[in-house]
Amino acid sequence: MDLWFTERYPQGWGITFKIERSLYSGKSRYQRIDVLETAGHGRLLVIDGCVMFTEADEFVYHEMLTHVPLFSHPNPKRVLVIGGGDGGAVREIVRHSCVEEVVLVDIDEDVIKVSREFFPSVSCELDNPKVQVLAEDGVRYLESCPPKSFDIILVDSTDPVGPAVGLFEKPFFEKCFRALKRDGIMAAQSGSPYFQLDLVGRVHRTVAQVFPAVRTYIAGTPSYGGLWTFVIGSKNGDPAQGPIREDQLAVSDLKYYNYEVHKGAFALPNYILREIGKQEK
Ligand code: AG3
């Protein structure tokens, strides 16, 4: 049988994978979750028809969501991940030996369960003693945690539809700001610069209303159809100045991130600069 899965983007464009078989399909309280075995990219996690990652290229997204903010902070000890129930971001965070505690808050416990069962190479650090896994609403968690609780907050959400809508709005970023310590940094996935350019601009400008330093950065993520953007808000330094920690080599076997990639990720094409309201150079 010739079976293909396509994520359909609104503009009549699709990202397609050849599928060997379906391993799991279920409806959680919040969303539909599918695990597919692809012919060439390992296993694929799909939520509500959107590609979350493939085993073949998840390293790009997870390394860039985590290591850019973590190496931009002088001494990150407490890290909060909102969403990211698959555990990919957590796996990267615990590579930093200075990190003492990671709290993962994903609203959907089925995502966590499915990742534990079908993606051991992604969920592998969820049982690390430094990691606390909570299946609850990240917004409510932020509201209830004391101010200045975390050094880093990472938002590893799905697209702004369904349960993730609130994670792209100003009140949410204000809650992140409140929960961050003095040198605190927040980073979030902020969409495709090609398919969701308006979202990229909107999220950047919204974060800029809350954090004194805001930047958008990019990485090449094949399974999301090309480039992907992340927004980073900092209470103190400018993450685009490059990594400020000198212990990069302490984090070994990185497949994507290095110090040059860190700096280069902040070099944006003009069409993105225009959308976020920054000067072309
Ligand atoms: N986070 C979601 C990236 C958004 C993908 N969007 C899309 N395919 N339309 C992925 C979760 C990985 N931990």
Side-chain angles (χ1 to χ4, degrees):
M1 256 227 295
D2 200 24
L3 218 58
W4 296 73
F5 165 79
T6 299
E7 172 175 353
R8 291 162 193 236
Y9 284 87
Q11 297 87 340
W13 171 290
I15 306 297
T16 302
F17 299 86
K18 182 164 167 49
I19 302 303
E20 300 289 358
R21 63 190 160 278
S22 164
L23 298 173
Y24 174 89
S25 186
K27 262 195 150 222
S28 73
R29 264 181 74 192
Y30 299 98
Q31 47 209 356
R32 179 183 166 153
I33 304 171
D34 289 276
V35 179
L36 302 168
E37 185 78 55
T38 73
H41 294 80
R43 291 179 177 179
L44 163 64
L45 177 65
V46 180
I47 292 186
D48 282 344
C50 283
V51 171
M52 290 297 107
F53 60 81
T54 71
E55 285 177 319
D57 70 338
E58 53 85 9
F59 70 94
V60 181
Y61 175 93
H62 288 129
E63 289 190 19
M64 289 302 277
L65 175 64
T66 56
H67 299 308
V68 172
L70 279 151
F71 279 116
S72 299
H73 189 285
N75 189 16
K77 287 190 160 74
R78 297 199 76 221
V79 183
L80 171 65
V81 180
I82 295 184
D86 52 76
V90 165
R91 180 194 66 203
E92 296 304 316
I93 294 163
V94 298
R95 290 167 177 267
H96 294 252
S97 52
C98 53
V99 169
E100 292 168 359
E101 197 181 343
V102 185
V103 182
L104 171 81
V105 187
D106 195 300
I107 199 165
D108 193 342
E109 65 174 338
D110 288 9
V111 173
I112 303 167
K113 282 192 199 145
V114 165
S115 188
R116 283 187 194 278
E117 183 171 350
F118 294 100
F119 296 96
S121 67
V122 176
S123 57
C124 49
E125 294 293 344
L126 288 177
D127 292 321
N128 185 308
K130 290 182 177 178
V131 179
Q132 189 188 356
V133 179
L134 302 171
E136 43 179 277
D137 181 343
V139 178
R140 251 185 249 145
Y141 178 86
L142 272 180
E143 282 165 356
S144 64
C145 79
K148 301 195 169 49
S149 296
F150 293 97
D151 298 298
I152 306 272
I153 299 178
L154 303 178
V155 190
D156 184 7
S157 66
T158 53
D159 288 6
V161 278
V165 173
L167 306 183
F168 292 80
E169 286 163 5
K170 191 174 171 197
F172 171 72
F173 296 123
E174 286 169 339
K175 291 183 180 93
C176 290
F177 188 88
R178 176 187 155 276
L180 281 169
K181 295 186 195 197
R182 212 190 50 196
D183 291 323
I185 294 177
M186 183 225 53
Q189 75 91 352
S190 56
S192 160
Y194 187 56
F195 305 118
Q196 303 163 320
L197 187 57
D198 54 330
L199 173 71
V200 174
R202 186 155 34 88
V203 173
H204 181 100
R205 290 189 298 273
T206 308
V207 175
Q209 289 171 22
V210 178
F211 284 82
V214 57
R215 295 281 183 171
T216 289
Y217 63 96
I218 50 178
T221 49
S223 295
Y224 306 149
L227 287 178
W228 203 254
T229 71
F230 305 85
V231 67
I232 186 163
S234 166
K235 282 195 167 183
N236 193 5
D238 176 5
Q241 293 307 307
I244 61 165
R245 280 170 47 209
E246 296 299 327
D247 57 345
Q248 178 214 9
L249 294 176
V251 178
S252 57
D253 296 332
L254 295 179
K255 282 206 246 176
Y256 194 88
Y257 178 93
N258 60 43
Y259 278 13
E260 294 303 313
V261 164
H262 181 131
K263 283 184 257 168
F266 290 93
L268 298 178
N270 288 340
Y271 76 95
I272 304 179
L273 283 177
R274 271 171 218 152
E275 189 68 23
I276 65 178
K278 288 255 154 114
Q279 290 277 306
E280 294 161 26
K281 300 228 162 82

